[in-house]
Amino acid sequence: MGATMAEKILARAAGVEHVRAGENLPVRPDHMIAYDFPGYTDVMFRQMHDDFGIRELADPGRYVVFIDHMLTRGDAREEEVHQVTRDWCAFYGITLHEARGIGHQVMAELGYARPGNFLVHFDGHVSGAGAFGALGWGVRRDLLEAWVTGEIFLDVPASTRFELTGEFRPGVDSRDLVHRIIGDHGADGCAHQVMEFGGPGARAMAIDHRQGLCGMAMFTGAVSAVFEPDSTALEYARRVAGDGFVPQYPDPDADYRAVHHYDLASIVPQVVLPGSARSANTRDAADLDGTAVTRAFIGSCASGRIEDIRAAALVLDGRNVAPGVELNVVPTSDAVHRQAEQEGLLDVLRAAGAHIARSSCDFCFGYQKPLQPEENCISTGVLNISGRMGSTGANIYMGSASTVAASAVAGTIVPAQEVTGR
Amino acid sequence: MSAAREYPPPPDVITGRVAWVFGDDFDIDLVVGVENIKSYDADFLRGVVMQAYDPGFADRVRPGDVIVGGRNFGYGHPHYPPMVALRDLGVAAVLAESFSPGFWRGETHNGMPLITVPGIAGAVVTGDALRLDWRTAAVTLDDGRTLRGVPPSDRVVRVVEAGGSLKLLLAEHSRT
């Protein structure tokens, strides 16, 4: 029986010929990534230094730290948190990437998410690296194990294969697909597994949408997600990282837990009801028509990339955000921000009444402009549990950038087609 | 990030009662309420734990009791304080039909035995007595029935025996 992509990536990283799902073994990540957050990185650095006596890292180039949270209040506490991170990174010789955008996007732009690579982070949205054929795994506090030992013990996951055909229709993207997958197979449909994407639909999908799809893998119960690297992914990787990678592909007779087929042209806009992304909360956006919103948000590590901003601009061009609605757009990185500006997309959004904010994670977790009680928000954020974006009395619906833009124009939740006619 | 209190490793055989049975896709944050998930103050958490389910919970739970879940237990963005609160009351293990990976990884790191036992959610009700051999995932109910779960890997056994990943790592790698 052949091997899945995840098995091949982990075997290479573990330095062994083969691994099989179910095996537990130590694996050496190519990069061990974190963002600074109080109680996480500051504690881990202190533990490395004080508890483990580590004064020098064997291989500091494998450690990557981003400052992408808590950038928008500009107060003393914010500065203090980040200074601790700067000091520790300087002490250990770790490259720190500060305020260049959301780390899960910037890691791709800087060439960390290379085909065939294995990455760990405490945050599960590192799975977005799968767009490039890399395996990114959110290991929570066990990141400390990787930081201290250079390796991490893992149960090799089984994989579920998703064979994709067709192309998304206008106003539909990978956010709709992932929520449809959850609706069809449940919030544990891929539990403890890796989602492996391939087929002509996968090759036709924009890299941005692949990143958004892989970044949401945890809501199917998966530990990660990977696309078979195609010419699009390889060209991107070569541009940012040179040839220093070994792409991995699944064997034709790879052993999958399940194989699911999706025709992307059959996917219609999806919206997730407040609470969580579980199956029972997934609806066709058209079924929620009439649900009033006061806030709309396009951004996050899942959906603030150039394709999302282009989609929003298509909807907002020549239209206005409805009175009483605040639309905030946060490009996923500074590079995305610059490109959106150069393409004139941000002018379109501004003319429609949208607010454009500096790239950070701050809207997504309720740090910047928190929601007030009784507010309804339609969001491309990654999470809609109570209190995620501010008050526990606010409601968060989730949808694609097209759906959020259209809902901001209508003042109620609607699929983009109802606004654009396309 | 760190729990407010430390807990010793569990005994070889955990003897107690089923303190509560949760359903499928249960979000552990709801144990203390979303508004309280940032607190690590055990005394504060004791006053809010399980208030939405059973206001008398904190007074009746005894050391060795377990909680039981359905499929995908711990779904969501599982924060640590709810399990801090439950452990503080004496909850010694979690048995579930299956676990959400993030919750499983995070609480295994903390040294909590999380044992997958197919059929457990329908086999017990709150108050049932049971014995759990967590290494072999064998659950013996008061009426003599035995359920067989999925034994944890050797590495996870070592993590739990050590009282959590940090303690195991310190034992294996500390240079101080």
Side-chain angles (χ1 to χ4, degrees), chain A residues 39 140-142 188 192 221 386, chain B residues 1 34 71 78 99 101 105 109:
Chain A
R140 299 184 47 88
R141 290 187 190 183
D142 284 334
D188 61 350
H192 301 273
S386 168
Chain B
M1 173 168 163
V34 173
R71 269 177 47 176
F99 289 93
R105 185 122 211 158
H109 174 100

Side-chain angles (χ1 to χ4, degrees), chain A residues 300-384:
Chain A
S300 86
C301 53
S303 301
R305 298 186 172 82
I306 197 69
E307 293 287 352
D308 303 299
I309 296 172
R310 286 174 184 155
L314 268 179
V315 174
L316 291 167
D317 191 13
R319 300 184 177 87
N320 289 310
V321 172
V325 178
E326 178 182 311
L327 170 61
N328 292 292
V329 178
V330 186
T332 306
S333 70
D334 287 353
V336 171
H337 195 125
R338 281 194 299 274
Q339 187 176 349
E341 198 76 88
Q342 285 163 6
E343 291 186 17
L345 303 172
L346 298 186
D347 285 338
V348 172
L349 269 52
R350 288 188 195 103
H355 303 284
I356 314 298
R358 173 187 184 188
S359 181
S360 79
C361 304
D362 290 356
F363 263 103
C364 191
F365 77 108
Y367 184 83
Q368 188 177 11
K369 292 194 178 183
L371 298 180
Q372 302 303 304
E374 310 300 322
E375 280 204 279
N376 277 357
C377 177
I378 177 86
S379 165
T380 68
V382 295
L383 197 61
N384 66 337

Side-chain angles (χ1 to χ4, degrees), chain A residues 117-121 124-130 134-138 223-226:
Chain A
N117 271 18
F118 176 52
L119 317 167
V120 293
H121 195 305
H125 297 299
V126 71
S127 58
L135 188 70
W137 192 326
V223 294
S224 195
V226 285

Side-chain angles (χ1 to χ4, degrees), chain A residues 215-231:
Chain A
M216 294 291 281
M218 71 166 79
F219 299 110
T220 71
V223 294
S224 195
V226 285
F227 272 68
E228 281 190 52
D230 62 359
S231 57

